Amino acid sequence: MAAYGYIRVSSKDQNEDRQLLALRELDIPERNIFIEKQSGKDFERPQYRKMVRRFKRDDLLCVKSIDRLGRNYGEILEQWRFLTKEKGIDIMVLDMPLLDTRRGKDLMGVFLSDVVLQILSFVAENERDNIRRRQAEGIAAARLRGVRFGRPPLPLPDNFHEMHRAWRGKKISLRQAAQACDMPQGTFYAKAVRLEKAEQTAAALF
C-alpha cells in the first residue's frame, strides 16, 4: 500500500502550506504529494490526473478537507465512487474522521460514510455558489455607488478639445478629427459625446 496526498488551492497567490504541513505529519513521501493551483470546479486538472494514474488497489489518498478534492457536488460523488470502487483505493479526509474508507467496511460504515460525503459535498458546492452570489451583489452595489471596473480609460490626446471644437464647428470632418487624434472614428465620437454630456451636467449644476 502506498499513501498519496493531494493539495489544491484555487489560485497561484494562495498558500498551500497549511495543507502541506498536515500531510507531512502523516509521513507521506514528498514524491507522492501532488499540488494543484487550479479551480475545483471539475476534475480536469493535470496533477490530479497524474496522481490517479499512479494509484494501485489498496493505496490511500489523503486530503485536508473535502473541498480540496473538488467543489462540484455531483462530480465529487462520482469521483469518490470511481476511486473507491473502480480504482479500489481508500480515501481519508483529515478534517472529517468519518470520511475514512478504511474504517467501517461493513454496510453501516459504508452507509454513514456515504451520507456524510453527500452532506459535505453539498455544503462545499453551496458555499461556492454563495461566494459567487456575494461577489455579484458586491459588484452591483459598487456600480450603484459609481465605482467603475476594468482598466481606467486612457487620457484624451492633447489636441482632442481643439479637434472636437473644429469638428462641431463643421471646419473638419469626423474622419479628419479622429485621424488628428490618432483614434478610430467610433472612439472619437463616443468620447466627444461623453465629454458633451459631462459639460451639460456641469452647466446644469452651476
Side-chain angles (χ1 to χ4, degrees):
M1 183 198 80
Y4 290 85
Y6 181 70
I7 294 170
R8 185 186 64 79
V9 291
S10 297
S11 61
K12 293 182 179 179
D13 58 350
Q14 288 184 321
N15 195 306
E16 68 274 11
D17 288 351
R18 185 175 63 90
Q19 297 177 65
L20 188 58
L21 182 62
L23 293 178
R24 281 175 174 164
E25 289 179 353
L26 300 175
D27 293 325
I28 298 175
E30 292 289 334
R31 66 179 181 277
N32 287 356
I33 296 178
F34 292 78
I35 300 175
E36 201 98 61
K37 297 194 175 185
Q38 191 170 328
S39 166
K41 64 180 182 177
D42 56 43
F43 284 88
E44 296 301 321
R45 308 176 218 139
Q47 290 300 308
Y48 180 82
R49 291 297 185 189
K50 181 179 178 181
M51 177 183 67
V52 170
R53 287 195 295 270
R54 288 181 54 182
F55 286 155
K56 292 181 174 57
R57 183 164 293 276
D58 295 327
D59 282 348
L60 174 66
L61 169 62
C62 305
V63 292
K64 183 73 169 68
S65 58
I66 192 66
D67 63 344
R68 297 306 87 199
L69 190 61
R71 284 193 175 274
N72 182 292
Y73 169 60
E75 289 196 3
I76 290 174
L77 295 177
E78 181 182 341
Q79 196 66 202
W80 184 281
R81 290 176 181 130
F82 165 73
L83 294 175
T84 57
K85 306 298 188 217
E86 296 187 30
K87 300 294 288 188
I89 72 165
D90 282 308
I91 304 175
M92 177 174 63
V93 179
L94 302 185
D95 287 353
M96 182 55 63
L98 281 174
L99 287 179
D100 185 342
T101 60
R102 298 170 303 172
R103 306 169 66 166
K105 293 283 188 178
D106 58 3
L107 184 61
M108 181 58 71
V110 172
F111 171 75
L112 288 174
S113 179
D114 194 51
V115 169
V116 173
L117 171 63
Q118 292 195 42
I119 292 172
L120 291 181
S121 299
F122 172 79
V123 169
E125 184 174 7
N126 192 55
E127 177 59 19
R128 181 167 167 254
D129 291 340
N130 287 338
I131 290 172
R132 282 202 303 261
R133 188 178 67 252
R134 288 194 295 268
Q135 287 174 336
E137 290 171 351
I139 291 172
R143 282 178 173 157
L144 287 175
R145 296 195 306 270
V147 176
R148 292 186 177 183
F149 295 89
R151 292 181 300 176
L154 294 173
L156 295 173
D158 293 338
N159 63 341
F160 182 84
H161 293 279
E162 179 185 353
M163 293 301 105
H164 173 251
R165 287 193 298 270
W167 168 57
R168 284 304 191 191
K170 300 190 184 301
K171 296 179 181 178
I172 59 175
S173 67
L174 175 61
R175 181 177 60 82
Q176 290 172 323
Q179 285 179 344
C181 292
D182 196 24
M183 288 180 176
Q185 290 186 45
T187 301
F188 181 90
Y189 181 81
K191 289 184 178 296
V193 171
R194 192 176 299 120
L195 174 65
E196 290 162 5
K197 286 183 178 179
E199 290 175 345
Q200 290 170 3
T201 301
L205 289 174
F206 295 98

